[in-house]
Amino acid sequence: MTPQILFSIFAFIFGAVVGSFLNVCICRLPRNESVVSPPSHCPNCDYQIRWYDNIPLVSYLLLGGKCRGCQTKISIQYPLVELLNGLLCLALFLRFGPTLAFCALFIFCSALVVITFIDIEHQIIPDEISLSGIVIGFVFSFFLRGHGWLNSLLGILLGGGSLLLVANAYQWLTGKEGMGGGDIKLLAMMGAFLGWKSIPFIIFASSLVGSVIGVALMLVQKKDSKLAIPFGPYLAFGAVLYIFFGHRLITWYLTLGGFQG
Ligand SMILES: [Zn+2]
C-alpha cells in the first residue's frame, strides 16, 4: 500500500469520526444543549451509548440501525452525516494535500454539514456556527498564502451585503419575507473563508439549483407550495461546488461566451 492510499484512508476515517461529533451538534445546538456533556444516549430509552457502539458507520451497520438497549430504529441521518463528512475530508485531502488550506476548508465544510442538517429540520442557522465561522475564516486568511485578509474582509462584506440587498428587494417586490438573517450570516461566513470572488458564484449556483429543486418539489406536491424550503443547504452546496470546481466552471462559462481563448 502506498503512503498516498494510507493517508487517504486515514483522511476518510478522520472525517467520519468528526462527523460523529457533528451529529451531536446537529442534535443539540438547536435545543441550546451542551455538545460536550452529558455523554450520548438513546433518545428513546436513555441507554448510554458505549464507545464500541459509537464507531462511525461501522456501529450502525453492526447494530443493524437499531439501539442496543431498546431496538428502536436509529435515524439514517447519523451514518449519512458520518459518510458525507468522511467523503468531504477525503476529497479535500486529495485536492489540497496536508496543508493549512486543507485544515481551514475542512473546518469550513464540517460547519456547512451541521448548518445544512439543522436548517433542513428547523429552518434556522445557529449564530454559534455562522458568527464564529466568520471570525475563524478571517483569522485563517492571515496565514493562507495567496488568500489575504483583505480578500476575506471583502468576502464578509460582499457576502453579507449582497444577500441583505436581495432579501430587501425580494421583500419589497413580494411583500413576503424570503431569506432570513441566518442566510445572510452564512454567506458572510462563506466570504470569510473563500474570499469575495466566491460570492457571485455561490449566489448564482445556489439560486440555479434551488429553483430547479423548488420547481420539482412543487410539481411533486401539486398545489401545496407553502412548504418552507430553507436556502442554507443550497448555499452550502454552492460553496462546496466552488471549492472543487469554481475556477474550472468560471473558465468554462467565460469560454462559452467567447470572452476567453
Ligand atoms: Zn434505546
Side-chain angles (χ1 to χ4, degrees):
M1 214 186 277
T2 66
Q4 172 76 0
I5 295 177
L6 207 66
F7 282 131
S8 299
I9 294 172
F10 181 73
F12 177 79
I13 294 173
F14 179 72
V17 170
V18 172
S20 182
F21 172 69
L22 300 186
N23 273 319
V24 179
C25 298
I26 292 167
C27 246
R28 296 187 186 179
L29 273 182
R31 289 182 222 148
N32 287 319
E33 291 172 357
S34 161
V35 293
V36 280
S37 70
S40 299
H41 51 87
C42 168
N44 186 49
C45 69
D46 261 350
Y47 173 81
Q48 195 183 315
I49 294 157
R50 319 285 151 147
W51 66 269
Y52 50 80
D53 288 334
N54 212 4
I55 304 165
L57 294 166
V58 178
S59 292
Y60 184 86
L61 294 175
L62 286 180
L63 291 167
K66 286 175 192 147
C67 166
R68 191 186 287 276
C70 67
Q71 302 296 312
T72 304
K73 266 187 114 180
I74 302 168
S75 166
I76 186 82
Q77 187 179 306
Y78 290 92
L80 203 66
V81 166
E82 288 158 0
L83 179 68
L84 184 65
N85 216 55
L87 290 175
L88 277 171
C89 188
L90 174 62
L92 286 172
F93 178 75
L94 292 176
R95 178 84 170 68
F96 297 96
T99 57
L100 191 65
F102 163 80
C103 294
L105 291 172
F106 178 63
I107 292 172
F108 177 64
C109 286
S110 298
L112 292 185
V113 170
V114 175
I115 285 172
T116 295
F117 281 87
I118 290 181
D119 202 16
I120 288 175
E121 201 175 330
H122 303 275
Q123 278 84 51
I124 52 159
I125 295 172
D127 283 348
E128 289 101 317
I129 299 177
S130 57
L131 291 184
S132 50
I134 292 173
V135 175
I136 294 169
F138 186 57
V139 169
F140 263 115
S141 74
F142 284 87
F143 305 99
L144 289 170
R145 231 181 297 157
H147 187 55
W149 65 269
L150 189 62
N151 184 20
S152 176
L153 184 67
L154 288 174
I156 296 169
L157 295 175
L158 188 65
S162 56
L163 211 51
L164 195 64
L165 211 67
V166 173
N168 281 337
Y170 182 86
Q171 200 165 0
W172 182 69
L173 285 171
T174 62
K176 284 185 290 190
E177 199 179 334
M179 256 164 286
D183 294 321
I184 292 165
K185 285 171 249 175
L186 172 60
L187 198 60
M189 168 183 138
M190 290 171 170
F193 273 95
L194 303 178
W196 69 270
K197 283 180 195 158
S198 68
I199 300 301
F201 179 94
I202 292 172
I203 293 180
F204 180 71
S206 57
S207 311
L208 192 69
V209 176
S211 30
V212 169
I213 294 181
V215 168
L217 280 179
M218 267 195 261
L219 291 177
V220 171
Q221 300 180 300
K222 306 269 162 59
K223 278 175 196 160
D224 186 23
S225 63
K226 282 268 179 173
L227 178 91
I229 305 164
F231 199 59
Y234 298 122
L235 288 172
F237 180 77
V240 173
L241 204 63
Y242 180 80
I243 291 172
F244 291 105
F245 307 105
H247 183 71
R248 246 183 292 167
L249 281 176
I250 292 169
T251 310
W252 172 78
Y253 184 74
L254 292 178
T255 316
L256 205 68
F259 293 109
Q260 258 180 14

